[in-house]
Amino acid sequence: MAIRRPGSSAVVAVTALAPVSWGTTYAVTTGFLPPDRPLFTALARALPAGLLLLAVTRVLPRGTWWAKAAVLGALNIGAFFPLLFVAAYRLPGGTAAVVGSTGPLFVVGLSALLLGQRPTPRTLLAGLAAAFGVSLVVLRGAGALDLTGVFAAVASTGSMAAGTVLTKRWGRPDGVGPLALTGWQLTAGGLLIAPVAFLAEGAPPALDAPAVGGYLYLALANTAVAYWLWFRGIGRLTATQAGFLGPLSPLTAAVVGWAALGQALTPVQIAGMALACGATLAGQLPAPRRDRPTTVHPTPASAPTPAPRG
C-alpha cells in the first residue's frame, strides 16, 4: 500500500478542464443535434472516440482488467451517457444541472464505503454548498417536472460518482497510461450502448452539417480529450477532489447559455456562482492524513502485454 499525496494545483487545474468541457454538452445537444435521439447521441459520442484511442495506444486489457474495464465503461460511459442525454432532452437545463451538482455528495458517500475515506464535516458542508450555489445560478421556475428525466439525472449522477470512486480504487495496471484506460472504457461503454440504441431508436437519423460538426466535437474534444484529462487527474487526485470539480460543469453550461443569449448575470446568480466555486476550492483541500485513501497497486498478473503507444 502506498499513500498518494493530494494533487497539486496544476493537476487540479488541468483536470478541471474536463468538467468545463462537459459543461458545453447541453448547448451542443439542444442546438445542433437531432431531437429525441439520446441513445444514438450517446453512442456517437462514446464508440468512435474509444476506437480512436484504442488505435492510437494499441494496448488491450489482460486478466481481471477485462472485467474491470467493462464495469468502469458501464458506469462512466455505458450507463452515464444515455442517462445524461435522457435528462438533457426531458428536463430544463437548470433542473438537470442542480441534480448533477449533488455529485460530490455521492462521491463522498461512496468513498467512505469503498475507499475507507471517512467524510468530514468540511466536505459534507462543501458538498451541500456546491449544490445550493449551483441552484442559485441555474434553477428557475419550470412547472411540473418530468419524472423520467429526474430519475435519469439522479441515476447518471450516481453512475458517474461510482465510476470515479472505482477508478480511484482500482488504479491502472502497470505500464498502462490514462489514454489507454480511457480508450478501454469508451469502447466498452459504446459497445454496451450500441444494441440498446438500435433496438430502441432504430436506424441512425439523417445528419446535416451542424449535426455532423456537433457529433465530431462531442466525440473528440468533449469525450476523447476530456475523459483522458479526467482519468489522468483521478490517478493523481483523491476521489473527493475529483468529485468536487463536477459543479464546474453546470456552471459552465449556464455561462455558455448566457453568452449565447446575451443575458446578464443577476446579483443572486453571481452570489451562487461564487458559492459553488468556493465549495469546489474547499473540496481540493487535503483531508487529514488518517482519512486519505490508499492506492492499491495491481498484481503483475493483471498487467497488459506492453505494446507501442502513441
Side-chain angles (χ1 to χ4, degrees):
M1 299 288 194
I3 300 294
R4 187 180 290 275
R5 297 178 180 178
S8 68
S9 58
V11 174
V12 171
V14 171
T15 307
L17 294 176
V20 167
S21 172
W22 299 334
T24 65
T25 303
Y26 183 79
V28 173
T29 299
T30 56
F32 298 97
L33 304 186
D36 302 322
R37 300 303 294 265
L39 294 176
F40 176 78
T41 297
L43 174 62
R45 183 182 176 189
L47 190 56
L51 294 175
L52 174 63
L53 294 185
L54 285 184
V56 169
T57 59
R58 291 180 285 173
V59 177
L60 293 176
R62 281 194 62 191
T64 60
W65 268 98
W66 283 104
K68 290 179 179 179
V71 171
L72 294 177
L75 291 172
N76 287 320
I77 310 298
F80 175 66
F81 278 12
L83 291 167
L84 175 69
F85 284 113
V86 168
Y89 279 117
R90 300 181 71 103
L91 290 178
T95 303
V98 170
V99 176
S101 68
T102 62
L105 295 175
F106 280 82
V107 171
V108 168
L110 290 171
S111 294
L113 291 174
L114 300 177
L115 302 178
Q117 183 178 2
R118 290 179 292 175
T120 65
R122 186 194 72 207
T123 55
L124 292 175
L125 182 61
L128 292 172
F132 181 65
V134 170
S135 72
L136 293 179
V137 176
V138 301
L139 190 60
R140 302 173 184 176
L145 293 177
D146 183 295
L147 293 181
T148 300
V150 171
F151 173 80
V154 173
S156 68
T157 302
S159 180
M160 183 65 172
T164 297
V165 174
L166 283 178
T167 299
K168 186 64 183 178
R169 178 180 176 86
W170 288 337
R172 296 194 306 269
D174 291 333
V176 171
L179 199 64
L181 182 65
T182 304
W184 297 352
Q185 295 188 50
L186 288 172
T187 302
L191 292 174
L192 181 65
I193 296 169
V196 181
F198 287 114
L199 286 174
E201 297 180 352
L207 303 179
D208 56 15
V212 171
Y215 282 125
L216 286 175
Y217 168 76
L218 288 181
L220 298 177
N222 188 262
T223 300
V225 174
Y227 270 89
W228 167 62
L229 293 175
W230 182 248
F231 293 131
R232 175 180 177 271
I234 290 177
R236 303 183 183 191
L237 304 173
T238 67
T240 300
Q241 284 180 301
F244 269 93
L245 295 176
L248 295 177
S249 180
L251 293 180
T252 301
V255 170
V256 169
W258 290 321
L261 298 175
Q263 297 176 344
L265 295 171
T266 68
V268 171
Q269 290 168 330
I270 293 174
M273 187 171 291
L275 179 61
C277 290
T280 297
L281 291 175
Q284 306 311 310
L285 298 176
R289 184 170 296 275
R290 68 178 182 277
D291 292 337
R292 293 180 191 166
T294 57
T295 298
V296 180
H297 295 287
T299 61
S302 65
T305 301
R309 291 185 289 155

